[in-house]
Amino acid sequence: QVQLVESGGGLVQAGDSLRLSCAASGRTFSSRGMGWFRQAPGKEREFVAAIDWSGVNTYYADSVKGRFTISRDNAKNTVYLQMNSLKPEDTALYYCAASRIGTWSPSIRYDYWGQGTQVTVSS
């Protein structure tokens, strides 16, 4: 079982930066890929970024490529999402997720989800 707790959300202005954190419980964190997703009001949840268990391989949605960076610290059981040059369209509830254990790919299945942290970007 993996429990995930996101933090770092808030209200910022367009062009600002935020860093989200996701702290994971359990002993299998370093064996799992991790991902960030977001859901805006009235929209479906969408993929934002993913990272493999080692931190070497990452993958991003086109909408955030070049602005967001996913990283992880396996010693701290934590994954991060650095968000720069934020836009109003980035406003959403951001979730982190832990993948199944196994060969990683950008489309890997996610088994565990956090409760989310709200990011609001004003224009």
Side-chain angles (χ1 to χ4, degrees):
Q1 193 77 3
V2 177
Q3 292 185 326
L4 303 172
V5 179
E6 302 95 336
S7 61
L11 172 62
V12 297
Q13 293 186 332
D16 285 351
S17 298
L18 275 178
R19 187 176 81 155
L20 306 184
S21 299
C22 174
S25 66
R27 300 181 179 182
T28 62
F29 175 80
S30 60
S31 300
R32 298 181 184 271
M34 297 296 294
W36 285 97
F37 294 76
R38 66 187 182 186
Q39 187 168 19
K43 296 187 177 180
E44 293 188 353
R45 186 173 63 194
E46 65 174 357
F47 168 79
V48 175
I51 189 167
D52 73 351
W53 64 270
S54 69
V56 171
N57 295 297
T58 57
Y59 186 73
Y60 297 92
D62 288 343
S63 59
V64 306
K65 203 172 295 183
R67 299 188 299 123
F68 291 11
T69 302
I70 187 170
S71 62
R72 66 189 297 159
D73 186 337
N74 286 343
K76 296 182 178 180
N77 274 22
T78 302
V79 64
Y80 304 97
L81 185 68
Q82 177 67 44
M83 305 186 295
N84 299 329
S85 303
L86 283 161
K87 304 175 180 179
E89 51 264 44
D90 294 319
T91 294
L93 187 61
Y94 283 72
Y95 300 90
C96 73
S99 79
R100 65 176 180 85
I101 295 175
T103 303
W104 184 84
S105 75
S107 60
I108 196 168
R109 187 190 77 213
Y110 291 89
D111 289 342
Y112 301 98
W113 296 82
Q115 294 298 307
T117 185
Q118 178 68 38
V119 172
T120 303
V121 185
S122 63
S123 57

